[in-house]
Structure formats: structure tokens, C-alpha cells
Amino acid sequence: MQNLEELKQEALTAIRGAERMVDLRDVEVKYLGRRGLLTEVLRGLKDVPEKERKEKGMEANTLRELLELEIATRRSQLQDAEYPRQLEAEKIDITQPGRKYHTGSLHPLTLVQREVQDILGKMGFSTVRGPEVELEWYNFDSLNLPKYHPARDMQDTLWLDEKPVALKKRGENILSRLLMRTQVTSIQVRFMEKNNPPFAIVMPGNVFRREASDASHESQFSQMDGLAVGPDASLANLKWVMETVMKKLFGSGVKTRLRPSYFPFTEPSVELDMECLVCQGRGCSVCKKTGWIEVLPGGMVHPRVFEAAGYNPRENQGYAFDIGIDRIAMMKYGVPDIRLFRSQDLRFINQF
């Protein structure tokens, strides 16, 4: 059995020499832990002759109490010494400028889309959304695009390699292929099948086309279609809505022109162009050197579209229009290339 006097001097030296809390904890474990030196002495008392056991036991317990008191005293001393150091380490200079945290911002296309939605919302248009993976019937057939229309060609449409979906339309069972929608106009008939006029809706979303990219064309872009059906819907109403949207977006001085056009799902059809703000009408790659850029096609809803939705075209009339969000954003922010919007270049995105 280790000599208690030697053990005492050794433990006291170690306790008083501990400079950190972790060192003091190691000393405590070494002498008073479950397998500590003093603990082993207490366990070994059973092997001491009975005459000496009582005396040795009292000495060992007295030493244990002394060491516990010394450890507590040293712990208090270390804590007192640690507090000023902790205050110094955590000191805050209230005169120092704060750190600047960089927060994210909305994408320019999102900003324009929300602004257009707000403008049309104040005119009474509600927002409706539809699927990006669309059926051929809603994307083409219901919109009066015949089977031989070039838009259905593989070079223009992204067809999905999935089984056709069985539908029952106009009393006939048909199979409709799946595709990535080429226009949000596909939402029109979906909505009209479940809702009765009068109504005015806008349909924002992304569309996808298999086409070459250039400064003013992209294979993925954002559209926002508008549709109003009711007894007072007219081409004059459509012209007012188109011009009002443009004035709200670009100011009353914006230069626009309305010209006749053709779309399978409207008759008559028109197109609103605005002066190219990238070149101020002088001609550039964005406007194809014409000084004008197409931003707002539209027209009166074709009777065959009403028939596809189950409406009587003799009893209903309406107008539809499409806003090219990407092109509006190009004009609004002076962006010279439409491809920048989806370039994922933070140097461009962080400017907005």
C-alpha cells in the first residue's frame, strides 16, 4: 500500500500546480477517480491487519476530504482568474462598423412577372397556373392547330418518350401524346372546361421550344397569357388593355404600334410592337435591325377554341393576349441578350 503521507504531498503539489480547469480535472481523476490512487488505498484496507485497519481508514478518509477541499478551492481560484480573460476575449467594440450581410434578390424575370400580374390584377384579372408537362390535345388540338401544323414537328416541340394518355373529347376516345408545353395558352381550355364566363384570368409560366438561341430567342422562356370572356369583351377592350400595360411598365411616352397578324387560336389577330429600347429604335441584333420588337400578340378567341372548351361560340366572345416576360424585361432593364436571364451568372443577377 502506498504511503499516505507521500501520496498527500504528491496530490497537493499537483492540485496547486494545475493552471487550467482541464488539468485540475485530470488530477481529480488521478487521485479520487474510480481507479484513482487514493481510491485504490481505500479498497486495499481489507488486506490490512485488523489492528491497523481502523487507523489507516481514518487517515485515508481524512486525506480524501482534504484533497476534495483543495480541489474545490483551486477550482474557484481558476474560475476567478478565467472570468477576466473571458471578458477580454468576448469584448465588443461598439464603435466598430457592423458586418455587411449580402442578402439574395429576386430574379429580374420574377420582378417583371410580378409587376405585370399586379397591373392586370388591378384590372380584375385573376392568376391561374397549369402543368409544364402538357398533353398534345391541350397544347395543339384544342387551340385550332391542325395535325399538319409545323409547330408539331420534332424540330419545334420537345416530345416526351412516354405512353400516350387516353382522353374523351367531343364524344370521341383519343390518345394524346405528352410534351413540354410550347405556350401557356394551353391553360385556356383547361380552365374553360371547369369554369363558366364571365371571367378574366392571367396564366404565367415557363414554356419550352426546340429552337436555336440568339440575342432575342431562347429554348426556354417565360410567358404570361391573358384571357377575358364575357359579353363586353371586344377588340377595343383588348387594345386598351395592351396599351395600358405598356404605359404602366414603361411610362406614358412609350412608343407602340398595333398591326394585324395571324394566330390559329384568335380571329382577328393583332400584334403590339414597342420601339426597341436597347437601340432606341435605330436597329440592333435584338430587334433584327427593325427598331421594333414584338411584345404583345393577341386577338379575339377563335370559335373553335370555344367549341373545344364546350362553349357555344355563338353565345360567347372573348379576347386573349400573350406577354413575353423575357422581352419585356430586356426592354425594361436594357439587357442586350435574352440568354443572360438564364445564364446563372451572379454578376448579372446581382444587379437587380
Side-chain angles (χ1 to χ4, degrees):
M1 179 181 295
Q2 186 172 357
N3 186 285
L4 290 178
E5 185 61 30
E6 293 179 359
L7 185 64
K8 172 183 175 181
Q9 295 304 321
E10 180 184 319
L12 290 176
T13 301
I15 293 170
R16 293 165 183 170
E19 297 294 334
R20 300 178 302 165
M21 294 294 289
V22 64
D23 297 333
L24 184 61
R25 177 59 183 163
D26 291 341
V27 172
E28 184 178 17
V29 171
K30 178 179 179 181
Y31 293 98
L32 301 180
R34 292 181 61 185
R35 296 187 179 183
L37 296 178
L38 184 56
T39 305
E40 292 296 330
V41 170
L42 290 168
R43 287 177 179 170
L45 289 175
K46 64 180 186 297
D47 300 324
V48 176
E50 187 174 349
K51 291 182 180 180
E52 300 177 16
R53 188 182 304 163
K54 183 176 181 181
E55 181 181 352
K56 290 288 185 182
M58 290 178 63
E59 290 180 12
N61 282 318
T62 300
L63 178 56
R64 182 180 186 88
E65 292 174 359
L66 174 64
L67 296 182
E68 288 177 346
L69 179 61
E70 286 290 328
I71 289 172
T73 301
R74 185 57 181 166
R75 180 178 292 115
S76 178
Q77 292 172 348
L78 290 176
Q79 288 174 344
D80 291 343
E82 177 66 21
Y83 186 66
R85 289 197 295 268
Q86 185 178 1
L87 286 180
E88 182 65 26
E90 297 178 358
K91 183 173 66 175
I92 298 175
D93 182 1
I94 61 173
T95 65
Q96 182 180 1
R99 295 178 181 177
K100 184 177 181 180
Y101 290 93
H102 297 278
T103 58
S105 59
L106 292 176
H107 193 280
L109 296 180
T110 301
L111 293 172
V112 172
Q113 178 178 307
R114 290 187 177 183
E115 185 175 2
V116 175
Q117 279 183 257
D118 182 62
I119 294 170
L120 291 169
K122 292 176 180 178
M123 297 182 191
F125 286 81
S126 302
T127 301
V128 175
R129 299 183 184 275
E132 292 183 346
V133 176
E134 187 57 279
L135 292 168
E136 180 182 15
W137 193 86
Y138 287 108
N139 198 83
F140 292 130
D141 297 327
S142 67
L143 298 178
N144 194 36
L145 276 82
K147 296 291 184 183
Y148 54 81
H149 196 281
R152 300 192 187 216
D153 292 344
M154 288 297 294
Q155 64 265 30
D156 293 313
T157 301
L158 296 166
W159 296 94
L160 301 183
D161 188 17
E162 301 287 342
K163 291 182 179 180
V165 177
L167 297 175
K168 188 171 185 179
K169 297 296 181 182
R170 301 173 184 172
E172 297 181 6
N173 294 320
I174 62 172
L175 291 176
S176 185
R177 294 179 294 173
L178 288 169
L179 52 85
M180 299 301 295
R181 69 181 178 196
T182 62
Q183 53 197 354
V184 291
T185 314
S186 61
I187 303 173
Q188 287 187 12
V189 173
R190 281 185 176 273
F191 180 83
M192 288 191 285
E193 285 178 336
K194 299 178 181 179
N195 297 272
N196 295 319
F199 58 77
I201 60 171
V202 288
M203 299 152 280
N206 292 319
V207 298
F208 311 86
R209 296 179 186 174
R210 188 191 294 268
E211 63 176 290
S213 298
D214 58 30
S216 58
H217 294 83
E218 190 49 299
S219 58
Q220 177 186 342
F221 52 96
S222 299
Q223 285 184 339
M224 184 181 295
D225 265 26
L227 174 66
V229 179
D232 298 325
S234 67
L235 198 61
N237 295 152
L238 173 61
K239 179 177 180 291
W240 179 83
V241 169
M242 286 179 162
E243 291 178 344
T244 300
V245 169
M246 297 305 293
K247 289 177 182 178
K248 293 287 186 181
L249 287 170
F250 298 100
S252 58
V254 62
K255 294 181 181 180
T256 61
R257 68 180 185 184
L258 191 68
R259 57 183 172 83
S261 188
Y262 166 76
F263 305 104
F265 31 83
T266 53
E267 180 59 39
S269 301
V270 295
E271 195 144 12
L272 186 78
D273 301 336
M274 69 174 294
E275 184 181 68
C276 180
L277 300 183
V278 175
C279 64
Q280 304 301 319
R282 292 187 297 270
C284 64
S285 61
V286 175
C287 62
K288 307 298 184 186
K289 306 298 182 181
T290 65
W292 297 90
I293 188 163
E294 306 165 1
V295 289
L296 252 168
M300 300 301 293
V301 179
H302 198 289
R304 290 182 182 173
V305 176
F306 280 141
E307 290 176 354
Y311 286 12
N312 186 339
R314 296 181 180 276
E315 298 176 358
N316 293 278
Q317 61 187 39
Y319 60 81
F321 57 89
D322 172 62
I323 300 175
I325 298 297
D326 296 59
R327 291 187 177 182
I328 293 290
M330 291 176 72
M331 297 298 102
K332 189 172 182 64
Y333 299 122
V335 177
D337 195 320
I338 196 172
R339 292 167 291 192
L340 287 171
F341 290 123
R342 290 179 171 81
S343 65
Q344 301 182 24
D345 189 338
L346 292 180
R347 293 172 301 175
F348 171 74
I349 301 299
N350 287 338
Q351 297 179 50
F352 300 92

